[in-house]
Amino acid sequence: MGLFSKEPCAFCGKEVGMMSRTKMSSKDYICDDCRKKLNPFARPDHLSKDQAAEMMARMERDEKALEGVKLIDRRLSVGRGQEIHFQSNIAAGLFTITTPQSKRFEHRPVFYFSDIREWNASEAFVNQAVGVSTARELVHDYTSVISLKEKRGADQRNDGWEIRFPYYSGLLPEILIKIPKEADPGEVRDFWKSICAVCGEWERSGTRRARDAHDLHIENAMSTLNDVVKAAVKGEGSDGIAEAVKKGIEKAQDIDAGKVKKKSLFEKLFG
Ligand SMILES: [Zn+2]
């Protein structure tokens, strides 16, 4: 375990030195090459081996969501001819971020506006009680949630900026965009403002309601199926089954008509 000892990568088995590996939370290592299969914005030291493997599979799948989707590009010049891009499609409810560092990764990350969530203490308490580790609620004022912070070096001079999004995903608790000091301060501020504006635009677009409806339809389909199975097991015959299916169809129509509202976990448990 010395400073210069080599350790095998948990994914490819390659023996790697300290400078080209990261220790995961499960105490094994990931090499810099395998790291490129992860989300460029993930912290491998915060992931276990299983979570990293799950993320690799997900990255490949998620990237397909960008195929054929027209992206609106907001860009920030960060010096030496390099740029940071925030590209989004409000109707699809998604965005992707490209930085000079993320370009070295194998897959483009896909993020969803609906996963930018604020911390909610009451929901966190409930989730903890039922064994879910994270809880965030939907955001209304993005400028208060997406932060822009100037970094300062030991000499108090500007050392770049950080834009931070809280992000609701068990594997990715936040998105951190690192901006080098070579960028122009005014342009950095405009870039941050335009990101907040795009998020606000998505919020007002109704896509969020569509996504909630989508979730409700899945919930309804699952519970209808459950009722159908129960009716069949109880031997209620075709009448019982038809009744369960009819209820499911009626609920689906109510969801489309906007009569069913999505409840937060807190409301579900105590509402
Ligand atoms: Zn490896």
Side-chain angles (χ1 to χ4, degrees), residues 114-150:
S114 56
D115 287 335
I116 302 173
R117 310 265 175 124
E118 267 178 309
W119 176 253
N120 176 317
S122 65
E123 204 161 304
F125 171 77
V126 173
N127 278 4
Q128 223 167 32
V130 297
V132 185
S133 60
T134 46
R136 306 282 174 92
E137 67 175 6
L138 285 162
V139 178
H140 298 287
D141 175 17
Y142 285 92
T143 54
S144 71
V145 171
I146 300 172
S147 67
L148 169 63
K149 206 180 110 211
E150 185 180 9

Side-chain angles (χ1 to χ4, degrees), residues 8-14 16 20 29-35 37 56:
C9 166
F11 295 96
C12 67
K14 192 167 64 189
V16 274
S20 38
Y29 296 90
I30 181 167
C31 77
D32 285 356
D33 289 331
C34 292
R35 188 183 173 162
K37 297 186 172 90
M56 286 176 190

Side-chain angles (χ1 to χ4, degrees), residues 152-169:
R152 295 203 177 262
D155 56 1
Q156 288 305 306
R157 286 214 185 145
N158 171 282
D159 193 27
W161 294 264
E162 285 178 345
I163 294 178
R164 235 175 245 274
F165 298 55
Y167 196 71
Y168 180 77
S169 153

